[in-house]
Amino acid sequence: MYWETLPNWFWVLYYLFLLSTLGTAIYSIVKKKGKFFPFVTIAFIVIIPIISFIFSLGRAEGMNEFEHLVSQLHKGASWAIFSIIGYLFLFIWWFFFLFKSKHKN
C-alpha cells in the first residue's frame, strides 16, 4: 500500500531546519547563552518528529503528512496541537537566536 508524501525537497529542508536548530541550541548551551530555552528546543526537536511520525502512520490513503496534520488539527487532536505549538516554538527560537546575536555584537 502506497501513501502520498511530500516532495523530497521538502524533507531535505525540513531536516536541515531541524539539524540547524539543534546546532544553534547546542551552541547556546555551550556558550551559556541560555539556561532553559535551549533544552526545551532540543526536546521539541526530538519529540515533534517522533510524534508526527507515529500519528501519521494511520493517515488515510491519498493524504500526505501536511494534509493529515491539518485535518487532525481541525478535529482537535492533541498531538496535532502539540506539534503546531512545537513548530511555532522552533520558529520563535530562531527569531530570538538571531535577534539576540545581532544586538550583543
Side-chain angles (χ1 to χ4, degrees), residues 7-17:
N8 290 336
W9 63 265
F10 172 83
W11 292 114
V12 169
L13 291 176
Y14 176 74
Y15 288 113
L16 280 173
F17 172 73

Side-chain angles (χ1 to χ4, degrees), residues 65-74 79-80 83-84 87:
E65 294 86 352
F66 180 72
E67 293 168 337
H68 181 66
L69 176 67
V70 171
S71 74
Q72 293 298 303
L73 192 58
H74 284 293
W79 75 268
S83 294
I84 295 297
Y87 289 129

Side-chain angles (χ1 to χ4, degrees), residues 14 17-18 21-22 25 36-52 81-91 93:
Y14 176 74
F17 172 73
L18 290 180
T21 306
L22 178 64
F36 177 71
F37 289 112
F39 292 105
V40 174
T41 302
I42 292 171
F44 274 130
I45 290 169
V46 172
I47 294 169
I48 293 171
I50 293 171
I51 288 176
S52 296
I81 295 168
F82 178 79
S83 294
I84 295 297
I85 290 169
Y87 289 129
L88 287 173
F89 180 87
L90 295 179
F91 283 115
W93 164 262

Side-chain angles (χ1 to χ4, degrees), residues 2-6 59-65 67:
Y2 295 100
W3 286 284
E4 291 287 322
T5 189
L6 294 164
R59 69 181 188 271
E61 195 170 337
M63 185 179 282
N64 67 34
E65 294 86 352
E67 293 168 337

